[in-house]
């Protein structure tokens, strides 16, 4: 078969005689070699270790057993060719504490690679580790998860494990580690709760953690943790193993597993679920990844001239549509659920993945726990996959139960993220008033004029900032240079309140509650701790911002009207009301339809002058939120002064 050479890398796709003349790039390859068993990788017991590798194009295969993570010589165990392109080997005796790789001959090349299905690895993930996973469970690991049912009941809080505790004033002992996030009772400046206590105090239901699978050594070298290093982790290396730099000892394969479980258990104990940020759309290096070494040409997408598809901008795109890649992704997701009790997944660049794979994941997850959340970046991106198969916003109707990030609402609220000085609704751009309405109704087809890409509210994730691009505060500084910090903070609070009072799934970025800044850095994926860390001193300066978000989250939890479960209810109960140019107002009318609950009136006011808003005749109105903006309130009118959100209620109180 052909040999590819690019970027000083040579790939031999193997001898066609091995596959009976079937090319690895053909559809016939999948029909001939798809393996549906559940025993790929290593099955360990103290008496016997069984290995099964999928490598149809290999003409020879061996398991290499090593005594240590860096020992030069290993024992070479022959593998026997078995069904559907798999190779098997059985090793008697107890291999606990040993390390292993696979060695395969592809054409004229010998390639050594880590088992893609490895569930434990040595330092820097260059060899699989053989350990009994059952011995990595911390005390209390079998406890019940926090109760949860519907995705729209979630309040998602995104954070980076190292960022959250690394600040000198965090009060956390194990800074930057899994166990640092598990510490309770930590305090920062002015006795401010930090770490886990801070998250619990906010009242969020889910934390979404930036990647914590094992990512590339070139990003963070686990043997040099005493040196300054930083990365977000969107560089997949070993998908089924925790990253070692967040462990107290990356050299011991069991430690990273046990300590990650301890962190997850700590969140669960506090009633908080855990969402895992996963990156199945690309790998760190398409030439060096274990997939390419073991079955070159299969797991990644290629152009017609055999170059890597690169819609990700990271050098390659994975071929999620190919059955064995799809199987790997599904198996990986199920592993994280079963072994680590993960409660949700955020799919990076989901628009590069295929619809079939996303639906297969959703279906398999539902068999275990339908309350597990699935959300992703459904951006419209170019890749070597038919447009009608891409898992993006255009095809939300084909992916029920999967939420997608709402960039339209984000940009309408704060201004285009790629045009730094462009204003949005919160900064007084009245033309954006109509553009925020689809986000408020959860992206559903509300009427002929108001709709987005979602069919149901659980298919949309509303947000104003995330780890990508400028923080909300930095965007406001760039687009509202002439404003005072007091006015900017009011804009910031308005953006957050619009997210937390809209239908759909609300999403917050860690530090959004205290106007987090990265000092203007737009893409801080490998910047210093000083740029990325949660600044607990700044948090102490802005306790009012933290309290504002805490009250909003509490308001959302107390009033189911902000989290209606289906599009029909939103169309039935939510009505937009008359409001000035720089304001949006709406009611959620319950009792008019026979429901005894109260009516709600919501005003998002971005105007700089006093605004008078007529109130519908639904009884006597009382203030639930934003009373500091109100100058006058009667049964028929509301007068406000300032930028922010006001929520009123009439009818039967929920308290």
């Amino acid at each position: 078969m052909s040999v590819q050479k690019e970027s000083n890398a040579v790939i031999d796709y193997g001898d066609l005689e091995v596959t009976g003349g079937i090319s690895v790039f053909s559809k016939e390859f999948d029909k001939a070699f798809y393996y549906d068993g559940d025993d790929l990788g290593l099955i360990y017991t103290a008496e016997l270790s069984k290995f099964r590798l999928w490598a149809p194009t290999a003409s020879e295969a061996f398991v290499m057993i090593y005594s240590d993570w860096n020992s030069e010589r290993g024992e070479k165990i022959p593998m026997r060719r078995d069904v559907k392109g798999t190779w098997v080997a059985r090793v008697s005796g107890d291999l606990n504490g040993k390390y292993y790789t696979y060695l395969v001959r592809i054409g004229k090349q010998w390639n050594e690679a880590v088992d893609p299905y490895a569930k434990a690895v040595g330092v820097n993930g260059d060899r699989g580790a053989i350990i009994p996973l059952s011995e990595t469970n911390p005390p209390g690991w079998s406890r019940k998860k926090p109760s949860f049912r519907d995705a729209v009941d979630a309040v998602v809080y995104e954070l980076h494990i190292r960022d959250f505790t690394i600040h000198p004033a965090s009060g956390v002992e194990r800074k930057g580690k899994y166990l640092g996030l598990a510490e309770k009772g930590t305090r920062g400046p002015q006795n401010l709760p930090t770490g886990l206590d801070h998250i619990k105090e906010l009242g969020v239901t889910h934390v979404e953690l930036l990647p914590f699978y094992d990512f590339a050594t070139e990003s963070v070298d686990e043997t040099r943790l005493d040196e300054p290093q930083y990365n977000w982790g969107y560089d997949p290396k070993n998908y089924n193993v925790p990253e070692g730099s967040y462990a107290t000892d990356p050299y011991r394969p069991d430690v990273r597993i046990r300590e990650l479980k301890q962190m997850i258990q700590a969140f669960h104990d506090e009633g908080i679920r855990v969402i895992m940020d996963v990156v199945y759309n690309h790998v760190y290096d398409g030439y060096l990844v274990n997939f390419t070494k073991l079955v070159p040409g299969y797991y990644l997408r290629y152009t017609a001239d055999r170059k890597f598809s690169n819609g990700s901008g990271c050098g390659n795109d994975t071929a999620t549509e190919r059955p064995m890649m799809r199987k790997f992704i599904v198996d990986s997701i199920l592993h994280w659920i079963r072994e680590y009790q993960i409660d949700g997944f955020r799919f990076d660049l989901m628009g590069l993945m295929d619809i079939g794979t996303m639906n297969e994941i959703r279906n398999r997850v539902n068999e275990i726990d339908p309350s597990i959340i699935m959300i992703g970046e459904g951006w419209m991106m170019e890749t070597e996959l038919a447009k009608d198969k891409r898992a993006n916003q255009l095809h939300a109707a084909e992916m029920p139960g999967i939420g997608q990030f709402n960039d339209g609402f984000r940009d309408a609220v704060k201004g285009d993220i790629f045009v730094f000085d462009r204003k949005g609704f919160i900064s007084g751009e009245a033309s954006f008033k109509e553009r925020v309405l689809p986000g408020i109704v959860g992206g559903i087809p509300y009427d002929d004029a108001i709709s987005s890409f979602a069919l149901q509210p659980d298919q949309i994730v509303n947000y104003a900032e995330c780890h990508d691009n400028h923080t909300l505060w930095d965007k406001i500084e760039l687009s509202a240079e002439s404003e005072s910090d007091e006015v900017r903070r009011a804009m910031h609070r308005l953006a957050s309140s619009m997210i937390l009072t809209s239908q759909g799934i609300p999403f917050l970025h860690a530090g959004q509650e205290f106007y987090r800044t990265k000092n203007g850095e737009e893409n801080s994926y490998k910047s210093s701790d000083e740029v990325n860390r949660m600044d607990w001193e700044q948090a102490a300066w802005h306790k009012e911002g933290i309290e504002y978000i805490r009250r909003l989250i509490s308001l959302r939890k107390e009033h189911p009207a902000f989290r209606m479960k289906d599009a029909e209810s939103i169309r039935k109960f939510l009505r937009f009301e008359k409001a000035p140019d720089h304001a949006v107002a709406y009611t959620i009318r319950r009792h008019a339809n026979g429901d005894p609950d109260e009516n709600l009136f919501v005003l998002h006011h971005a105007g700089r002058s006093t605004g008078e808003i007529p109130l519908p005749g639904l009884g006597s109105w009382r203030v639930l939120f934003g009373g500091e903006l109100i100058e006058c309130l009667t049964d028929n009118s509301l007068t406000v002064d300032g930028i922010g959100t006001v929520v009123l209620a009439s009818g039967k109180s929920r308290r």
Side-chain angles (χ1 to χ4, degrees):
M1 297 176 69
S2 62
V3 176
Q4 173 184 0
K5 184 174 182 180
E6 185 177 319
S7 303
N8 298 319
V10 177
I11 300 178
D12 191 331
Y13 295 115
D15 187 344
L16 282 172
E17 289 189 8
V18 173
T19 58
I22 302 175
S23 167
V24 69
F25 296 99
S26 69
K27 292 182 179 179
E28 288 74 18
F29 190 88
D30 288 316
K31 293 178 182 178
F33 297 111
Y34 176 71
Y35 178 74
D36 63 358
D38 60 0
D39 59 345
L40 286 171
L42 164 67
I43 297 177
Y44 162 83
T45 67
E47 297 75 32
L48 176 70
S49 291
K50 295 187 289 186
F51 301 85
R52 186 180 291 272
L53 164 69
W54 187 73
T57 58
S59 54
E60 293 183 80
F62 298 87
V63 178
M64 300 296 298
I65 305 295
Y66 295 93
S67 61
D68 206 346
W69 68 272
N70 62 350
S71 52
E72 294 184 3
R73 294 182 176 234
E75 183 182 0
K76 197 173 180 182
I77 309 294
M79 302 189 80
R80 174 178 57 83
R81 188 185 294 277
D82 202 61
V83 298
K84 296 294 184 178
T86 62
W87 297 79
V88 294
R90 299 161 65 94
V91 181
S92 299
D94 192 354
L95 296 183
N96 185 8
K98 303 290 187 181
Y99 296 79
Y100 76 103
T101 60
Y102 293 127
L103 179 66
V104 296
R105 183 163 71 86
I106 310 290
K108 297 180 180 179
Q109 287 185 343
W110 283 97
N111 300 331
E112 187 172 6
V114 181
D115 180 2
Y117 276 81
K119 296 177 175 61
V121 295
V123 67
N124 277 334
D126 291 327
R127 288 175 181 168
I130 304 174
I131 63 171
L133 288 180
S134 60
E135 295 182 9
T136 64
N137 294 340
W141 182 237
S142 62
R143 293 177 192 170
K144 189 177 180 181
K145 289 184 177 186
S147 61
F148 184 76
R149 182 174 178 180
D150 295 300
V152 294
D153 291 331
V155 178
V156 180
Y157 185 78
E158 180 195 51
L159 64 92
H160 181 276
I161 291 171
R162 181 177 177 89
D163 287 357
F164 212 74
T165 60
I166 200 66
H167 192 280
S170 69
V172 172
E173 180 181 350
R174 300 176 183 89
K175 292 179 171 62
K177 304 297 183 182
Y178 297 121
L179 293 184
L181 267 180
E183 292 181 28
K184 300 179 183 180
T186 61
R187 295 294 180 268
Q190 301 181 35
N191 202 37
L192 181 80
T194 62
L196 178 59
D197 283 13
H198 173 78
I199 298 170
K200 181 182 179 182
E201 186 178 68
L202 280 178
V204 301
T205 65
H206 291 68
V207 293
E208 180 199 298
L209 303 171
L210 267 65
F212 56 81
Y213 52 70
D214 183 53
F215 48 82
T217 308
E218 290 81 356
S219 301
V220 175
D221 187 338
E222 296 170 6
T223 67
R224 299 190 296 111
L225 296 183
D226 56 340
E227 302 174 20
Q229 296 182 83
Y230 184 90
N231 206 281
W232 282 344
Y234 291 93
D235 301 324
K237 185 170 183 178
N238 293 295
Y239 279 104
N240 296 323
V241 188
E243 165 62 15
S245 64
Y246 300 141
T248 58
D249 187 351
Y251 290 89
R252 286 183 51 192
D254 62 315
V255 170
R256 64 180 74 191
I257 297 173
R258 183 177 298 106
E259 291 180 350
L260 173 59
K261 290 179 178 179
Q262 287 178 258
M263 183 196 73
I264 293 169
Q265 187 64 57
F267 279 118
H268 284 176
D269 286 347
E270 298 300 331
I272 301 167
R273 288 190 161 208
V274 177
I275 297 174
M276 180 180 186
D277 194 339
V278 289
V279 188
Y280 293 110
N281 68 85
H282 74 273
V283 297
Y284 175 68
D285 188 308
Y287 297 103
L288 300 180
V289 69
N290 47 23
F291 293 139
T292 299
K293 290 180 177 179
L294 294 169
V295 193
Y298 185 83
Y299 289 99
L300 305 180
R301 287 191 192 126
Y302 291 82
T303 61
D305 57 354
R306 296 290 186 260
K307 294 182 179 179
F308 288 140
S309 173
N310 189 23
S312 68
C314 300
N316 61 83
D317 305 332
T318 56
T320 63
E321 69 280 7
R322 301 206 71 173
M324 287 303 291
M325 187 63 193
R326 176 180 294 173
K327 174 179 170 57
F328 174 82
I329 295 171
V330 172
D331 289 347
S332 177
I333 291 288
L334 298 182
H335 167 67
W336 285 105
I337 294 171
R338 291 165 175 159
E339 187 66 33
Y340 293 90
Q341 298 185 25
I342 294 296
D343 309 292
F345 298 90
R346 179 263 190 194
F347 292 85
D348 180 69
L349 301 187
M350 186 178 75
L352 292 175
M353 300 176 69
D354 70 287
I355 296 169
T357 293
M358 294 308 304
N359 284 334
E360 176 69 12
I361 296 169
R362 181 71 269 178
N363 292 337
R364 294 294 300 278
V365 166
N366 285 347
E367 293 172 2
I368 298 174
D369 181 0
S371 72
I372 290 174
I373 288 178
M374 286 177 57
I375 58 178
E377 293 181 302
W379 314 139
M380 275 72 79
M381 308 176 73
E382 289 303 316
T383 182
E384 294 294 316
L385 176 69
K387 290 185 177 181
D388 62 351
K389 294 183 178 180
R390 299 175 190 173
N392 58 31
Q393 293 175 356
L394 295 176
H395 302 120
E398 299 174 54
M399 296 183 289
I402 299 174
Q404 301 194 44
F405 284 85
N406 188 358
D407 54 333
F409 193 40
R410 174 200 67 196
D411 288 355
V413 167
K414 69 177 183 179
D416 193 315
I417 62 170
F418 300 115
V419 184
F420 302 158
D421 61 352
R422 184 166 294 173
K423 299 178 185 297
F425 175 82
I426 62 170
S427 40
E429 197 60 56
S431 62
F432 281 89
K433 176 176 178 176
E434 300 303 317
R435 288 179 55 186
V436 302
L437 305 185
I440 288 172
V441 300
I444 65 160
Y446 178 78
D447 60 21
D448 291 341
I450 302 172
S451 66
S452 186
F453 56 82
L455 291 186
Q456 296 295 337
D458 67 352
Q459 291 182 293
I460 208 156
V461 179
N462 284 326
Y463 71 116
E465 74 165 276
C466 66
H467 67 276
D468 278 322
N469 309 108
H470 290 109
T471 66
L472 176 57
W473 178 261
D474 289 347
K475 167 64 178 177
I476 292 172
E477 279 202 319
L478 290 166
S479 59
E481 289 184 312
S482 62
E483 303 290 358
S484 67
D485 279 355
E486 182 180 0
V487 170
R488 290 172 182 164
R489 285 194 289 271
M491 294 175 180
H492 197 287
R493 291 191 296 270
L494 174 58
S496 297
S497 65
M498 293 178 74
I499 300 304
L500 286 165
T501 54
S502 292
Q503 305 299 318
I505 303 170
F507 173 102
L508 302 171
H509 181 222
Q512 186 173 332
E513 64 272 27
F514 58 78
Y515 320 108
R516 182 177 181 178
T517 177
K518 294 184 181 179
N519 300 316
E521 185 116 12
E522 182 200 11
N523 187 14
S524 63
Y525 77 100
K526 61 177 182 179
S527 300
S528 65
D529 284 330
E530 287 71 23
V531 170
N532 283 293
R533 68 192 181 189
M534 286 282 284
D535 188 338
W536 294 106
E537 292 177 341
Q538 184 186 13
W541 298 334
H542 296 296
K543 287 183 177 179
E544 87 292 341
I546 298 172
E547 176 61 14
Y548 188 86
I549 297 296
R550 189 199 66 76
R551 288 173 54 218
L552 277 168
I553 293 172
S554 177
L555 179 75
R556 185 178 181 89
K557 286 182 172 180
E558 290 172 3
H559 297 274
F562 290 122
R563 39 194 173 85
M564 287 184 273
K565 304 298 189 285
D566 58 82
E568 182 181 359
S569 296
I570 296 170
R571 286 189 290 264
K572 183 177 181 180
F573 297 126
L574 192 151
R575 301 186 191 178
F576 288 102
E577 307 289 349
K578 291 182 180 180
D581 288 343
H582 294 286
V584 171
Y586 60 94
T587 51
I588 304 177
R589 303 186 180 200
R590 291 289 193 168
H591 83 279
N593 294 280
D595 193 313
D597 288 346
E598 61 199 352
N599 302 293
L600 298 179
F601 177 90
V602 180
L603 172 70
H604 299 307
H605 191 260
R608 306 307 178 83
S609 57
T610 300
E612 185 173 346
I613 298 92
L615 294 175
L618 296 173
S620 181
W621 294 98
R622 61 187 182 278
V623 179
L624 294 182
F625 189 84
E628 67 277 5
L629 301 179
I630 298 175
E631 290 201 336
C632 181
L633 174 63
T634 70
D635 289 351
N636 300 308
S637 70
L638 168 68
T639 304
V640 297
D641 185 19
I643 298 171
T645 293
V646 173
V647 181
L648 309 176
S650 72
K652 181 181 177 181
S653 174
R654 296 190 59 81
R655 298 194 179 198

